[in-house]
Amino acid sequence: MPEGDTAGVGGIDSDVLERIGRRLRGSARFATVEYRPEYAPNAVVAEYDLGYFPADIERAYLRIRWFETDNFNIHYSEQYRDGNSWECRWDCHPNSHNDREHFHPPPDAMTPGQDMESESDWRAVISEILSELDERIQSFWE
């Protein structure tokens, strides 16, 4: 879902975003967590601590948007020094390309994605996604 495209998803849920931001700030995974930064005023952006990644990754982040309708968009990106990236996205919103709940797989988060089912509570959604990303990061060191 493009940055400005909120048709049919409802308004941003500032309370949930603030709670998500507080939760992510408590994790050692992240070097910084910004709540609604100027460059992404409808999101929480968590920058991973690069100590968890190989040296060829210059940035890894998680951008989360949560809406009053419990629709969401969670985008993960690794950006490499050679200009390449590895991206994926979990979405829950009305659309014409997938079921309401779907996953856009790596390496480029192509549309259409894969239909999926997610939990209804934001805490469970965030926990599940962080676990999946932890597995991705662990795979660098196996």
Side-chain angles (χ1 to χ4, degrees), residues 67-132:
F67 301 92
E68 293 169 340
T69 55
D70 284 332
N71 289 302
F72 60 83
N73 169 260
I74 301 174
H75 177 227
Y76 173 74
S77 179
E78 294 167 4
Q79 298 176 359
Y80 292 78
R81 296 189 191 287
D82 65 5
N84 290 319
S85 63
W86 191 93
E87 319 231 355
C88 59
R89 195 171 74 237
W90 295 262
D91 286 335
C92 180
H93 63 89
N95 67 86
S96 61
H97 57 77
N98 280 102
D99 285 350
R100 180 173 175 261
E101 298 173 24
H102 55 281
F103 174 68
H104 297 269
D108 52 8
M110 290 284 291
T111 299
Q114 302 167 350
D115 295 338
M116 66 172 206
E117 291 185 28
S118 64
E119 299 290 334
S120 58
D121 184 78
W122 68 266
R123 292 166 203 85
V125 171
I126 298 299
S127 291
E128 184 177 323
I129 290 171
L130 288 176
S131 291
E132 289 180 34

